[in-house]
């Protein structure tokens, strides 16, 4: 279900990609590497100067059963670095999710996040929906969401949530034989 227009030279190029009822696969990035897509539209360009690579995404719109979003941004290899040290690079992404299914957030947490944290999110966020979630991710991807993030880095997701059921002490964290803790239900608020 993909349509691709590509113009490439050794110094760079541009591409437009449209996917209808298809999927993208990210092995080694997500626990569930295949992400089904009802629709994806992407327009961007890239430049290559020696070991430096830069990518500009003018438009990225996506929709699947879990979320609908629209983004733009840029990515580049780390300045002054060569070889493998250039990666994973520097990202500057902004946009928003007009809707997102809270019970599926866990599947988009990268494998770089400890398995225990990913499991907690999977078991604790039972139900809920987010609307108009503003997204801003900016900085060195090695440290973007950590205490090592340099000044000027951003990692922000902000929006309204409603209808949330949160099992804040999921069964896997309870001692055997203990009565289950009650979930918090029908929560609303700002994330």
């Amino acid at each position: 279900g993909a349509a691709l227009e590509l113009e490439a030279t050794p110094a760079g190029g541009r591409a437009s990609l449209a996917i209808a009822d298809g999927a993208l696969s990210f092995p080694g990035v997500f626990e569930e590497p295949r992400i089904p897509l009802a629709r994806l539209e992407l327009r961007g360009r890239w430049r290559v100067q020696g070991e430096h690579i830069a990518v500009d995404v003018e438009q990225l719109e996506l929709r699947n059963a879990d979320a609908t979003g629209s983004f733009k941004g840029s990515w580049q290899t780390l300045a002054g670095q060569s070889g493998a040290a250039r990666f994973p690079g520097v990202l500057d992404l902004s946009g928003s999710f007009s809707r997102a299914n809270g019970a599926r957030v866990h599947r988009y947490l990268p494998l770089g996040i400890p398995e225990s944290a990913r499991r907690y999110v999977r078991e604790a966020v039972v139900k809920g929906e987010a609307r108009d979630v503003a997204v801003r991710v900016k900085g060195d991807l090695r440290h973007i969401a950590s205490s090592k993030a340099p000044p000027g880095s951003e990692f922000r997701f902000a929006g309204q949530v409603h209808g949330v059921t949160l099992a804040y002490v999921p069964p896997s964290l309870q001692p055997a034989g203990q009565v289950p803790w009650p979930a918090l239900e029908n929560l609303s608020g700002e994330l």
Side-chain angles (χ1 to χ4, degrees):
L4 174 66
E5 289 184 28
L6 180 68
E7 185 179 309
T9 71
R14 61 177 46 255
S16 295
L17 172 66
I19 296 176
D21 297 321
L24 293 176
S25 185
F26 297 92
V29 176
F30 300 116
E31 192 173 323
E32 298 175 39
R34 187 175 186 278
I35 298 177
L37 294 164
R39 183 185 74 128
L40 179 133
E41 291 184 23
L42 172 83
R43 276 194 341 265
R45 63 184 189 279
W46 67 94
R47 296 173 307 287
V48 179
Q49 296 174 321
E51 288 199 347
H52 182 73
I53 303 167
V55 177
D56 292 310
V57 175
E58 300 154 4
Q59 171 197 17
L60 170 60
E61 294 187 20
L62 58 92
R63 180 173 45 87
N64 68 11
D66 301 332
T68 300
S70 178
F71 305 91
K72 64 180 180 175
S74 63
W75 170 88
Q76 63 183 346
T77 53
L78 284 167
Q81 301 290 320
S82 64
R86 301 180 293 164
F87 300 101
V90 177
L91 179 66
D92 186 351
L93 176 74
S94 60
S96 66
F97 287 103
S98 58
R99 66 162 185 90
N101 178 348
R104 294 292 294 158
V105 167
H106 69 89
R107 75 96 54 240
Y108 300 96
L109 298 177
L111 293 173
I113 294 175
E115 192 277 332
S116 59
R118 290 183 281 119
R119 183 180 62 236
Y120 178 81
V121 172
R122 180 176 53 247
E123 294 175 2
V125 183
V126 177
K127 181 172 112 174
E129 191 167 290
R131 295 260 182 216
D132 302 320
V133 177
V135 175
R136 182 75 171 120
V137 180
K138 179 182 178 185
D140 182 340
L141 290 172
R142 294 175 300 173
H143 309 296
I144 194 79
S146 75
S147 60
K148 296 179 183 179
S153 296
E154 292 182 59
F155 186 84
R156 186 169 196 272
F157 288 71
Q160 299 295 314
V161 296
H162 61 89
V164 175
T165 298
L166 180 68
Y168 60 98
V169 182
S172 67
L173 294 180
Q174 296 177 14
Q178 185 181 48
V179 175
W181 285 55
L184 299 175
E185 297 179 346
N186 204 26
L187 298 174
S188 295
E190 187 173 314
L191 170 69

